[in-house]
Amino acid sequence: MYINGVWSGVSDRKEHAVMNPANGVAVDSIPLSTLDDCVNAVDSAAGAFESWSRTAPRDRSDLLYEAWRSLNARSDELAELIVAENGKTIADASAEVTYALDFLRWFAEEAVRIRGDYRLSPRGDKRIIVDRVPVGPALLIAPWNYPAAMITRKLGPALAAGCTMVIKPALETPLTAREIVRTFDELGAPDGVINLVTPGNAGPAVDRMLATGEIRKLSFTGSTAVGRILLRSTAEHVVKTSMELGGNAPFLVLEGASIEEAVEGAIQAKLRNGGAACTAANRLYVHRSCAAEFTERLAERISTLRVGSGVERINTVGALVSDAEVHKVRELIDQGVRQGANVVFQTEIPKRGAFMNITLLNGINSENVLTKKEIFGPVFPIVEFDDEVEAVRLANMTEYGLVAYVFGDEQAAMRVGHKLQVGMVGINRGVVSDAAAPFGGVKESGIGREGSFEGIDEYLQTKYLAISV
Ligand code: NAP
């Protein structure tokens, strides 16, 4: 916990052990922030806002560059910490660190490119100066699946824009957030600009922070269910919000697609982060003409993969973040099977630890729960379709709209991609995330964009000055 430049340990607070899900051993422990701590953190961010918002953009940029350099020099250490508290493989964690640090570098570059506007009114009676100013103290709430990237994707643009902040990481993975914040502290970020709290019960703590009326921006990444609650509670003080919520990504293999590319794309889109990604391909729609070949080749490919401790490089899929997550995934598979799904292939898993077998299923119809719920595990449900119109209809048959993947000849894939109700589309690619791209969803997958030029807009507001000619 870090409030107004002061770190607090576990000595005078309740303690929370952060567990390694691969072996059930405690990695470290953190203090649980009280409601008063959370309010103090907001006061601290509010107190630092005036001076931080007036710092030279170049100074804010330099701080972000220095943090990027410093964390980059310790990227292996950071990746190992992610493996320890989250369970993912070291390869996934290293990729996450690269992605996470890209946001610091990108927003170091953007800090000095915030543009305003200047125009003459149509009546010619005044000049209109349009300024873009930081929105105010921000509350940044992150989930456990990307312990570094979900922090930097918010902290980077917030700092660059001139906002101060209170960060609330997930209780499962607060140690990576602590390392990132510690780096900014060591680099001399002024007291109060970045605060870190770790309350034991997020709901009341966040309500209390919002009730201060000092938070002007809420950026949340997590489930749609919690996003809905937060949209309601931010309405009270009309807080600007960014919501990066759940996904249910369709993965489409069109007639004539390269099966080899589609199989590799599916592996990437599904198994990155062990399937615990909002961007994970949730349901695979495969044209009936190639469904048998695709299923067979995907099963063959999966049979070469191993699930096990993230520390061992031989494993493609590590542990899920907790036993509870494994239980949730197993329940979904059981339910899917009761509704007619057929298990084609399942890998082995270690005897102990929060591991989930990579599972391939077919015989699924569009009503099956595996096509409706976000699975968040290494599970591939295959649904067959007959034509493009049906594929688009099935893909859009969800309240979510984060990302979709389409494999096929480029023209057909682009045509289908344009018809999908999502914020992002991978065309013959299993990965879309990039710090330079606007990340975000439509429908109930969220509001706003992170990364890219758009990412900094989320922390700015427009102010106009009228000057008589
Ligand atoms: P979650 O349960 O919604 O939790 C996310 C964060 O919200 C955690 O920090 C959690 O704190 C906090 N939280 C929980 N209840 C809250 C409440 N009532 N008020 C305020 N904050 C609350 O989600 P998760 O299970 O950690 O993460 C998985 C979800 O995140 C998936 O749905 C996934 O799709 C989504 N996700 C979306 C994106 C995206 O960019 N669209 C990226 C990654 C993940 P505690 O840990 O203390 O409970």
Side-chain angles (χ1 to χ4, degrees), residues 3 14 51 82 102 107 109 112 140-141 144 156 161 170 195 224 228 254 263 271 324 379 391 414 417 423 457 459 468:
I3 299 172
K14 265 198 198 156
S51 64
I82 293 173
D102 274 355
F107 286 109
E109 290 154 354
V112 292
L140 314 179
I141 306 179
W144 46 261
N195 303 275
T224 297
R228 270 192 205 101
L254 306 180
V263 165
L271 295 186
V379 180
M414 291 284 285
D457 291 346
Y459 296 87
S468 296

Side-chain angles (χ1 to χ4, degrees), residues 141-146 150 153 168-172 199-200 202-203 206 220-224 226 229-230 244-247 277-278 325 374 376 402 439 445 450:
I141 306 179
W144 46 261
N145 63 341
Y146 284 95
M150 295 305 101
R153 202 161 80 172
K168 199 220 84 63
L171 260 193
E172 288 92 340
V206 169
F220 171 75
T221 298
S223 59
T224 297
V226 173
I229 295 174
L230 291 173
E244 296 288 352
L245 308 177
C278 52
E325 279 298 305
E374 188 177 28
F376 242 55
L402 188 62
F439 187 104
S445 283
E450 290 193 315

Side-chain angles (χ1 to χ4, degrees), residues 445-468:
S445 283
I447 301 169
R449 293 294 178 267
E450 290 193 315
S452 181
F453 313 115
E454 288 90 343
I456 200 163
D457 291 346
E458 303 281 331
Y459 296 87
L460 294 168
Q461 59 193 355
T462 300
K463 181 172 185 177
Y464 136 64
L465 287 85
I467 304 170
S468 296

Side-chain angles (χ1 to χ4, degrees), residues 268-345:
Q268 267 194 318
K270 183 80 223 187
L271 295 186
R272 207 162 61 110
N273 235 33
C278 52
T279 51
N282 207 51
R283 43 202 172 112
L284 284 67
Y285 295 107
V286 186
H287 192 269
R288 204 172 298 282
S289 66
C290 55
E293 185 187 355
F294 177 82
T295 309
E296 190 183 327
R297 298 212 4 212
L298 186 57
E300 264 170 33
R301 181 73 172 83
I302 292 171
S303 70
T304 66
L305 305 177
R306 283 183 50 152
V307 180
S309 159
V311 178
E312 293 164 28
R313 288 192 180 269
I314 192 170
N315 296 322
T316 307
V317 171
L320 296 190
V321 77
S322 62
D323 291 332
E325 279 298 305
V326 175
H327 182 69
K328 254 166 48 185
V329 178
R330 288 200 192 290
E331 286 270 287
L332 269 180
I333 292 180
D334 289 349
Q335 217 182 327
V337 167
R338 283 199 298 276
Q339 294 174 356
N342 164 46
V343 176
V344 178
F345 186 82

